[in-house]
Amino acid sequence: MKKWIYVFLALVIYFIVVSVLTLFESNADGSNIKSFSDALWYSIVTLTTVGYGDLYPVTPMGKIVGLLIIISSVGVLGYVIGEIMAKINDYMEKKNQGYWGTDFTDHYVMIGWNEFGRSVAQQILNSGKKIAIVVDSKEKLDLIKSIFETDNCFVLYSDIQNYDSFKKVNIEKAKSIFVNLSDDTETLVFILNLKKKYSNLSFIATCKNASLKDTFMSAGVNYVVPQSEVASRLVASYIFEPQVAEYTEDLITTSKSDLESDIQQYRIIDSNEFANKEYLEIFYEIKQRFNAVAIGLVSGQGLLKNPDNDHLVKSGDYLILISAGKVKSELEKFFGVLEGQ
């Protein structure tokens, strides 16, 4: 409010000075400032430092007033430029912090950041998907932006307890939400509160204490990954079957090159020729056409790790494959959908 009072007072003083200049110059011999509009034009040209020279004061008092206008123009111009730069800097800072939001859809949202989250984000981005990350410190924001310089990664700096701010990451149109907080209790409470506001979201969470897995599931988390449990299984596999463990680790990691393989899933749409075909027939065709291996199916019955040979694959089912990176684009073209969608 004070700012606008100062602006009003400055305008009043400005018009008073212009009126005084008109008073001194309008009736003077040889003067070219004959009216208020002439004086106003002279002051504007002077304040903007254009200086056409078409109008100028000729009386001693008029020159003094003109000198005041010239001197004040430096301050006014500096103030205006400063205000413009401040607005631009404020806009850019808000943009950097994600204040203006994103229009991502069918993306993934990660809430919280640490080294584990960094690995997860890297895998998502390697697969060509989009991710929005919410952090509660500027240091983390700057770190993420320095690591992932890509249009597929959006970062929001916000208080994670401000649930309304998640609208800026278009959370309601996200495929799933990965809650990546440091404490299991904090994660559980956070999910319970977030589900009150966004009840239809799909949640994924990790927990350090494997015994809390059922608690997380009861709270409405769709998938719970106990970090120690997954790590221990992989380590045990390396101990007694290292080649299998190495292959498993490779499969669950998004392929970065044409020669690497990973596990992918593709939705069967109505127009796809696999709709209403038996699983065994699809298995052979996938192998022959793309040198990929069908290993399972997701249907209304849930995950089928090894469907019966005569199991009918229907539109809307997801076919799970092992394939090399080099045929990913061919598979997406054949199925008419992107991997995982």
Side-chain angles (χ1 to χ4, degrees):
M1 187 64 182
K2 282 186 176 181
K3 182 178 181 179
W4 291 111
I5 293 175
Y6 292 146
V7 170
F8 175 75
L9 290 175
L11 287 173
V12 171
I13 294 172
Y14 170 71
F15 284 115
I16 290 174
V17 171
V18 173
S19 298
V20 171
L21 179 63
T22 305
L23 180 65
F24 288 138
E25 292 291 317
S26 59
N27 297 317
D29 294 335
S31 173
N32 49 30
I33 299 177
K34 297 297 185 181
S35 64
F36 180 83
S37 60
D38 288 341
L40 185 63
W41 172 252
Y42 164 76
S43 66
I44 292 173
V45 170
T46 302
L47 286 170
T48 56
T49 70
V50 175
Y52 285 125
D54 54 342
L55 298 176
Y56 49 87
V58 295
T59 66
M61 293 304 297
K63 289 180 179 180
I64 292 174
V65 175
L67 180 62
L68 290 175
I69 294 175
I70 292 171
I71 293 173
S72 63
S73 67
V74 177
V76 171
L77 190 62
Y79 173 78
V80 171
I81 292 175
E83 283 293 301
I84 292 173
M85 291 304 299
K87 293 292 184 184
I88 292 174
N89 290 336
D90 181 60
Y91 173 85
M92 296 304 295
E93 181 64 18
K94 286 182 176 180
K95 182 179 180 181
N96 182 61
Q97 295 177 9
Y99 183 86
W100 307 114
T102 179
D103 58 359
F104 282 0
T105 58
D106 288 329
H107 58 300
Y108 302 92
V109 174
M110 179 188 298
I111 299 171
W113 178 259
N114 50 34
E115 280 302 309
F116 181 78
R118 173 177 176 170
S119 299
V120 173
Q122 185 68 69
Q123 294 301 315
I124 292 173
L125 292 170
N126 286 346
S127 67
K129 303 297 189 299
K130 295 180 179 179
I131 184 171
I133 305 171
V134 183
V135 295
D136 57 1
S137 78
K138 290 185 178 181
E139 291 76 12
K140 293 177 181 177
L141 178 140
D142 293 336
L143 175 62
I144 296 169
K145 284 183 172 290
S146 67
I147 297 171
F148 303 126
E149 295 180 2
T150 169
D151 293 336
N152 285 347
C153 181
F154 174 82
V155 190
L156 171 66
Y157 166 56
S158 173
D159 177 6
I160 62 172
Q161 301 303 326
N162 180 8
Y163 301 107
D164 287 332
S165 69
F166 296 139
K167 292 179 180 178
K168 294 178 181 178
V169 295
N170 218 6
I171 195 169
E172 292 175 289
K173 294 186 178 180
K175 292 199 69 174
S176 60
I177 315 302
F178 172 42
V179 182
N180 183 40
L181 304 181
S182 57
D183 180 76
D184 288 346
T185 303
E186 182 184 7
T187 300
L188 187 59
V189 172
F190 177 86
I191 291 173
L192 288 171
N193 288 331
L194 191 60
K195 282 188 70 68
K196 292 178 183 178
K197 193 168 186 65
Y198 305 103
S199 58
N200 297 324
L201 297 179
S202 173
F203 286 90
I204 300 168
T206 61
C207 61
K208 294 180 174 62
N209 187 348
S211 64
L212 292 176
K213 182 175 180 178
D214 289 340
T215 305
F216 273 78
M217 297 293 287
S218 299
V221 180
N222 300 76
Y223 301 100
V224 183
V225 183
Q227 295 182 27
S228 58
E229 186 177 293
V230 173
S232 61
R233 288 177 181 177
L234 191 58
V235 170
S237 184
Y238 266 111
I239 292 173
F240 65 84
E241 47 184 11
Q243 288 74 27
V244 174
E246 187 175 352
Y247 186 47
T248 301
E249 189 175 3
D250 179 55
L251 289 178
I252 62 176
T253 304
T254 302
S255 57
K256 296 181 181 180
S257 70
D258 289 346
L259 298 178
E260 291 181 343
S261 297
D262 65 353
I263 300 176
Q264 305 165 10
Q265 70 173 25
Y266 295 94
R267 180 165 51 89
I268 305 296
I269 59 178
D270 292 333
S271 58
N272 190 277
E273 62 184 80
F274 284 170
N276 299 314
K277 275 192 175 182
E278 292 183 351
Y279 180 78
L280 184 60
E281 186 179 355
I282 293 174
F283 179 91
Y284 285 122
E285 287 195 34
I286 285 289
K287 179 62 178 176
Q288 290 172 354
R289 291 190 188 187
F290 306 103
N291 196 28
V293 180
I295 60 172
L297 192 70
V298 179
S299 67
Q301 304 173 38
L303 174 62
L304 302 176
K305 298 179 181 179
N306 187 25
D308 294 333
N309 293 344
D310 59 353
H311 182 91
L312 204 62
V313 177
K314 299 179 180 179
S315 175
D317 291 349
Y318 285 84
L319 195 63
I320 303 175
L321 313 173
I322 295 176
S323 74
K326 63 182 178 182
V327 298
K328 180 179 176 180
S329 60
E330 296 177 41
L331 286 166
E332 289 180 337
K333 183 178 180 181
F334 172 78
F335 283 100
V337 294
L338 297 177
E339 173 199 353
Q341 296 186 359

Coordinates of all heavy atoms in Angstrom, one line a residue, residues 43-103:
S43 N 9.2 17.1 -20.9 CA 9.6 16.3 -19.7 C 9.7 14.8 -20.0 O 10.6 14.1 -19.5 CB 8.6 16.5 -18.5 OG 7.3 16.0 -18.9
I44 N 8.8 14.3 -20.8 CA 8.8 12.9 -21.1 C 10.1 12.5 -22.0 O 10.8 11.5 -21.7 CB 7.5 12.4 -21.9 CG1 6.3 12.5 -21.0 CG2 7.7 11.0 -22.5 CD1 5.0 12.3 -21.7
V45 N 10.4 13.4 -23.0 CA 11.6 13.2 -23.8 C 12.8 13.2 -22.9 O 13.8 12.5 -23.1 CB 11.6 14.2 -24.9 CG1 13.0 14.2 -25.6 CG2 10.5 14.0 -25.9
T46 N 12.8 14.1 -21.9 CA 14.0 14.3 -21.1 C 14.1 13.1 -20.1 O 15.2 12.5 -19.9 CB 13.9 15.6 -20.3 OG1 13.8 16.7 -21.2 CG2 15.1 15.8 -19.4
L47 N 13.0 12.7 -19.5 CA 13.0 11.6 -18.5 C 13.4 10.3 -19.2 O 14.1 9.4 -18.6 CB 11.6 11.4 -17.9 CG 11.2 12.5 -16.9 CD1 9.7 12.3 -16.5 CD2 12.1 12.4 -15.6
T48 N 13.0 10.1 -20.4 CA 13.4 8.8 -21.1 C 14.8 8.9 -21.8 O 15.2 8.0 -22.4 CB 12.4 8.5 -22.2 OG1 12.3 9.6 -23.1 CG2 11.0 8.2 -21.6
T49 N 15.5 10.1 -21.6 CA 16.8 10.3 -22.1 C 16.9 10.3 -23.6 O 18.0 10.1 -24.2 CB 17.9 9.3 -21.5 OG1 17.6 8.0 -22.1 CG2 17.8 9.3 -20.0
V50 N 15.7 10.5 -24.3 CA 15.7 10.5 -25.8 C 16.3 11.8 -26.3 O 17.2 11.8 -27.1 CB 14.3 10.3 -26.3 CG1 14.3 10.5 -27.8 CG2 13.8 8.9 -25.9
G51 N 15.9 12.9 -25.7 CA 16.4 14.2 -26.0 C 16.4 14.6 -27.5 O 17.4 14.8 -28.1
Y52 N 15.2 14.8 -28.0 CA 15.0 15.2 -29.4 C 15.6 16.6 -29.7 O 16.1 16.9 -30.7 CB 13.6 15.2 -29.8 CG 13.0 13.8 -30.1 CD1 11.9 13.4 -29.4 CD2 13.6 12.9 -31.0 CE1 11.4 12.1 -29.6 CE2 13.1 11.7 -31.2 CZ 12.0 11.3 -30.5 OH 11.5 10.0 -30.7
G53 N 15.4 17.5 -28.6 CA 15.9 18.9 -28.8 C 14.9 19.8 -29.5 O 15.2 20.9 -29.8
D54 N 13.7 19.3 -29.8 CA 12.7 20.1 -30.5 C 12.1 21.1 -29.6 O 11.7 22.2 -30.0 CB 11.6 19.2 -31.1 CG 11.0 18.3 -30.1 OD1 11.6 18.1 -29.0 OD2 9.9 17.8 -30.4
L55 N 12.0 20.8 -28.3 CA 11.5 21.7 -27.3 C 12.5 21.9 -26.1 O 13.2 20.9 -25.7 CB 10.2 21.2 -26.7 CG 9.0 21.1 -27.7 CD1 7.8 20.4 -27.0 CD2 8.6 22.4 -28.3
Y56 N 12.7 23.1 -25.6 CA 13.6 23.4 -24.5 C 13.3 24.7 -23.9 O 12.8 25.6 -24.5 CB 15.1 23.4 -25.1 CG 15.2 24.3 -26.3 CD1 15.5 25.7 -26.1 CD2 15.1 23.8 -27.5 CE1 15.7 26.5 -27.2 CE2 15.3 24.6 -28.6 CZ 15.5 26.0 -28.5 OH 15.7 26.8 -29.6
P57 N 13.6 24.9 -22.6 CA 13.3 26.1 -21.9 C 14.3 27.2 -22.2 O 15.5 26.9 -22.5 CB 13.4 25.7 -20.4 CG 14.3 24.5 -20.4 CD 14.1 23.8 -21.7
V58 N 13.8 28.5 -22.2 CA 14.7 29.6 -22.6 C 14.8 30.6 -21.5 O 15.8 31.4 -21.4 CB 14.2 30.3 -23.9 CG1 14.3 29.3 -25.1 CG2 12.8 30.8 -23.7
T59 N 13.9 30.6 -20.5 CA 13.9 31.6 -19.4 C 14.8 31.0 -18.3 O 15.0 29.8 -18.2 CB 12.5 31.8 -18.8 OG1 12.0 30.6 -18.3 CG2 11.5 32.3 -19.9
P60 N 15.4 31.9 -17.5 CA 16.2 31.4 -16.4 C 15.5 30.5 -15.4 O 16.1 29.4 -15.1 CB 16.6 32.7 -15.7 CG 16.6 33.8 -16.7 CD 15.4 33.4 -17.6
M61 N 14.3 30.8 -15.0 CA 13.5 30.0 -14.1 C 13.1 28.7 -14.8 O 13.1 27.6 -14.2 CB 12.3 30.7 -13.6 CG 12.7 31.9 -12.7 SD 13.7 31.4 -11.3 CE 12.6 30.3 -10.4
G62 N 12.8 28.8 -16.1 CA 12.4 27.6 -16.9 C 13.6 26.6 -17.0 O 13.4 25.4 -16.9
K63 N 14.8 27.2 -17.1 CA 16.0 26.4 -17.2 C 16.3 25.7 -15.9 O 16.7 24.5 -15.9 CB 17.2 27.2 -17.6 CG 17.2 27.7 -19.1 CD 18.4 28.5 -19.4 CE 18.3 28.9 -20.9 NZ 19.5 29.8 -21.3
I64 N 16.0 26.4 -14.8 CA 16.2 25.7 -13.5 C 15.2 24.6 -13.3 O 15.6 23.5 -12.8 CB 16.0 26.8 -12.3 CG1 17.1 27.8 -12.4 CG2 15.9 26.1 -11.0 CD1 16.9 29.0 -11.4
V65 N 14.0 24.8 -13.7 CA 13.0 23.7 -13.6 C 13.4 22.6 -14.5 O 13.3 21.4 -14.2 CB 11.6 24.2 -14.0 CG1 10.6 23.0 -14.0 CG2 11.1 25.2 -13.0
G66 N 13.9 22.9 -15.7 CA 14.3 21.9 -16.7 C 15.5 21.1 -16.1 O 15.6 19.9 -16.4
L67 N 16.4 21.8 -15.4 CA 17.5 21.1 -14.8 C 17.1 20.1 -13.7 O 17.6 19.0 -13.6 CB 18.5 22.2 -14.2 CG 19.7 21.6 -13.5 CD1 20.6 20.9 -14.5 CD2 20.5 22.7 -12.8
L68 N 16.1 20.5 -13.0 CA 15.5 19.6 -12.0 C 14.9 18.3 -12.7 O 15.1 17.2 -12.2 CB 14.4 20.3 -11.2 CG 14.8 21.4 -10.2 CD1 13.6 22.1 -9.6 CD2 15.7 20.8 -9.1
I69 N 14.3 18.5 -13.8 CA 13.7 17.4 -14.5 C 14.8 16.5 -15.0 O 14.7 15.3 -15.0 CB 12.8 17.9 -15.7 CG1 11.6 18.6 -15.2 CG2 12.4 16.7 -16.6 CD1 10.7 19.3 -16.3
I70 N 15.9 17.1 -15.5 CA 17.0 16.3 -16.1 C 17.7 15.5 -14.9 O 17.9 14.3 -15.1 CB 18.1 17.2 -16.7 CG1 17.5 17.9 -18.0 CG2 19.4 16.5 -17.0 CD1 18.4 19.0 -18.5
I71 N 17.9 16.1 -13.8 CA 18.5 15.4 -12.7 C 17.6 14.3 -12.2 O 18.1 13.2 -11.9 CB 18.9 16.4 -11.5 CG1 20.0 17.4 -12.0 CG2 19.4 15.7 -10.3 CD1 20.3 18.5 -11.0
S72 N 16.3 14.6 -12.0 CA 15.4 13.6 -11.5 C 15.2 12.5 -12.5 O 14.9 11.3 -12.0 CB 14.1 14.3 -11.2 OG 13.5 14.8 -12.4
S73 N 15.4 12.7 -13.7 CA 15.2 11.7 -14.7 C 16.2 10.5 -14.5 O 15.9 9.3 -14.8 CB 15.4 12.2 -16.2 OG 16.8 12.6 -16.4
V74 N 17.4 10.8 -14.0 CA 18.4 9.8 -13.7 C 17.8 8.8 -12.6 O 17.9 7.6 -12.8 CB 19.7 10.4 -13.2 CG1 20.7 9.2 -12.9 CG2 20.3 11.2 -14.3
G75 N 17.3 9.4 -11.6 CA 16.7 8.6 -10.5 C 15.5 7.8 -10.9 O 15.3 6.6 -10.6
V76 N 14.6 8.5 -11.7 CA 13.4 7.8 -12.1 C 13.7 6.7 -13.1 O 13.1 5.6 -12.9 CB 12.5 8.9 -12.9 CG1 11.3 8.2 -13.5 CG2 12.0 9.9 -11.9
L77 N 14.6 6.9 -14.0 CA 15.0 5.9 -15.0 C 15.6 4.7 -14.2 O 15.3 3.5 -14.5 CB 15.9 6.4 -16.0 CG 16.2 5.5 -17.2 CD1 14.9 5.3 -18.0 CD2 17.2 6.1 -18.2
G78 N 16.5 5.0 -13.3 CA 17.1 3.9 -12.5 C 16.1 3.1 -11.7 O 16.2 1.9 -11.6
Y79 N 15.1 3.8 -11.2 CA 14.1 3.1 -10.4 C 13.2 2.2 -11.3 O 13.0 1.1 -10.9 CB 13.2 4.2 -9.7 CG 12.0 3.6 -9.0 CD1 12.1 3.0 -7.8 CD2 10.7 3.6 -9.6 CE1 11.0 2.4 -7.2 CE2 9.6 3.0 -9.0 CZ 9.7 2.4 -7.8 OH 8.6 1.9 -7.2
V80 N 12.8 2.8 -12.5 CA 12.0 2.0 -13.4 C 12.8 0.7 -13.8 O 12.2 -0.4 -13.8 CB 11.6 2.8 -14.6 CG1 10.9 2.0 -15.7 CG2 10.6 3.9 -14.2
I81 N 14.0 0.9 -14.2 CA 14.8 -0.2 -14.7 C 15.0 -1.2 -13.6 O 14.9 -2.5 -13.8 CB 16.2 0.2 -15.2 CG1 16.0 1.1 -16.5 CG2 17.1 -1.0 -15.5 CD1 17.3 1.7 -17.1
G82 N 15.3 -0.7 -12.4 CA 15.4 -1.6 -11.2 C 14.2 -2.4 -10.9 O 14.2 -3.6 -10.6
E83 N 13.0 -1.8 -11.0 CA 11.7 -2.5 -10.8 C 11.5 -3.5 -11.9 O 11.1 -4.7 -11.5 CB 10.6 -1.5 -10.8 CG 10.5 -0.7 -9.5 CD 10.1 -1.5 -8.3 OE1 9.0 -2.2 -8.4 OE2 10.8 -1.6 -7.4
I84 N 11.8 -3.2 -13.1 CA 11.6 -4.2 -14.2 C 12.5 -5.4 -14.0 O 12.1 -6.6 -14.1 CB 11.9 -3.5 -15.6 CG1 10.8 -2.5 -15.9 CG2 11.9 -4.6 -16.7 CD1 11.1 -1.7 -17.1
M85 N 13.8 -5.1 -13.6 CA 14.7 -6.2 -13.4 C 14.3 -7.1 -12.2 O 14.5 -8.3 -12.2 CB 16.2 -5.7 -13.2 CG 16.8 -5.0 -14.5 SD 16.8 -6.2 -15.9 CE 17.8 -7.5 -15.2
A86 N 13.8 -6.4 -11.2 CA 13.4 -7.2 -10.0 C 12.2 -8.1 -10.3 O 12.2 -9.2 -9.9 CB 13.0 -6.2 -8.9
K87 N 11.3 -7.6 -11.2 CA 10.1 -8.4 -11.6 C 10.6 -9.6 -12.4 O 10.1 -10.7 -12.3 CB 9.2 -7.6 -12.4 CG 8.5 -6.5 -11.6 CD 7.5 -7.1 -10.6 CE 6.7 -5.9 -9.9 NZ 5.9 -6.5 -8.8
I88 N 11.6 -9.3 -13.4 CA 12.1 -10.4 -14.2 C 12.8 -11.4 -13.3 O 12.6 -12.7 -13.5 CB 13.0 -9.8 -15.3 CG1 12.3 -9.0 -16.3 CG2 13.8 -11.0 -16.0 CD1 13.1 -8.3 -17.3
N89 N 13.6 -11.0 -12.4 CA 14.4 -11.9 -11.5 C 13.4 -12.7 -10.7 O 13.6 -13.9 -10.4 CB 15.4 -11.1 -10.7 CG 16.5 -10.6 -11.5 OD1 16.9 -11.1 -12.5 ND2 17.1 -9.5 -10.9
D90 N 12.4 -12.1 -10.2 CA 11.4 -12.7 -9.3 C 10.7 -13.8 -10.2 O 10.5 -14.9 -9.7 CB 10.4 -11.7 -8.8 CG 9.3 -12.4 -7.9 OD1 9.7 -13.0 -6.9 OD2 8.1 -12.3 -8.3
Y91 N 10.3 -13.5 -11.4 CA 9.7 -14.4 -12.3 C 10.6 -15.6 -12.6 O 10.1 -16.8 -12.5 CB 9.3 -13.8 -13.6 CG 8.7 -14.7 -14.6 CD1 7.4 -15.1 -14.6 CD2 9.6 -15.3 -15.6 CE1 6.9 -16.0 -15.5 CE2 9.0 -16.2 -16.5 CZ 7.7 -16.5 -16.5 OH 7.2 -17.4 -17.4
M92 N 11.8 -15.4 -12.9 CA 12.8 -16.4 -13.2 C 13.0 -17.3 -12.0 O 13.2 -18.6 -12.1 CB 14.1 -15.9 -13.7 CG 13.9 -15.1 -15.1 SD 13.2 -16.2 -16.4 CE 14.5 -17.4 -16.6
E93 N 13.1 -16.7 -10.8 CA 13.3 -17.5 -9.6 C 12.1 -18.4 -9.3 O 12.3 -19.6 -8.9 CB 13.6 -16.5 -8.4 CG 13.9 -17.2 -7.1 CD 15.1 -18.0 -7.0 OE1 16.0 -17.8 -7.9 OE2 15.3 -18.9 -6.2
K94 N 10.9 -17.9 -9.5 CA 9.7 -18.7 -9.2 C 9.7 -19.8 -10.3 O 9.2 -20.9 -9.9 CB 8.5 -17.8 -9.3 CG 8.3 -16.9 -8.1 CD 7.0 -16.1 -8.2 CE 6.8 -15.3 -6.9 NZ 5.6 -14.5 -7.0
K95 N 10.1 -19.5 -11.5 CA 10.1 -20.5 -12.5 C 11.1 -21.6 -12.2 O 10.8 -22.8 -12.3 CB 10.4 -19.9 -13.9 CG 10.4 -20.9 -15.0 CD 10.7 -20.3 -16.4 CE 10.7 -21.3 -17.5 NZ 11.0 -20.7 -18.8
N96 N 12.2 -21.2 -11.7 CA 13.3 -22.2 -11.3 C 12.8 -23.1 -10.2 O 13.1 -24.3 -10.1 CB 14.5 -21.5 -10.9 CG 15.7 -22.4 -10.6 OD1 16.1 -23.2 -11.4 ND2 16.1 -22.3 -9.3
Q97 N 12.0 -22.5 -9.3 CA 11.5 -23.3 -8.1 C 10.2 -24.1 -8.5 O 9.6 -24.7 -7.6 CB 11.2 -22.3 -7.0 CG 12.5 -21.7 -6.4 CD 12.2 -20.7 -5.3 OE1 11.1 -20.6 -4.8 NE2 13.3 -20.0 -4.9
G98 N 9.7 -24.0 -9.7 CA 8.5 -24.7 -10.1 C 7.2 -24.0 -9.7 O 6.2 -24.7 -9.8
Y99 N 7.3 -22.8 -9.4 CA 6.1 -22.1 -8.9 C 5.0 -22.0 -9.9 O 3.8 -22.1 -9.5 CB 6.5 -20.6 -8.5 CG 5.4 -19.8 -7.9 CD1 5.2 -19.8 -6.5 CD2 4.6 -18.9 -8.7 CE1 4.1 -19.0 -6.0 CE2 3.6 -18.2 -8.2 CZ 3.4 -18.2 -6.8 OH 2.4 -17.4 -6.3
W100 N 5.3 -22.0 -11.2 CA 4.3 -21.9 -12.2 C 3.7 -23.2 -12.6 O 2.8 -23.3 -13.5 CB 4.8 -21.1 -13.4 CG 5.5 -19.8 -13.1 CD1 6.8 -19.5 -13.2 CD2 4.8 -18.7 -12.5 NE1 7.0 -18.2 -12.7 CE2 5.8 -17.7 -12.3 CE3 3.5 -18.4 -12.2 CZ2 5.4 -16.4 -11.8 CZ3 3.2 -17.1 -11.7 CH2 4.1 -16.2 -11.5
G101 N 4.3 -24.3 -12.1 CA 3.7 -25.6 -12.3 C 4.1 -26.3 -13.6 O 4.9 -25.7 -14.4
T102 N 3.6 -27.4 -13.9 CA 3.9 -28.2 -15.1 C 2.6 -28.7 -15.7 O 1.6 -28.9 -15.0 CB 4.9 -29.3 -14.9 OG1 5.1 -30.0 -16.1 CG2 4.3 -30.3 -13.8
D103 N 2.6 -29.0 -17.0 CA 1.5 -29.6 -17.7 C 1.7 -31.1 -18.0 O 1.0 -31.7 -18.8 CB 1.1 -28.9 -19.0 CG 2.3 -28.9 -19.9 OD1 3.4 -29.4 -19.6 OD2 2.2 -28.3 -21.1

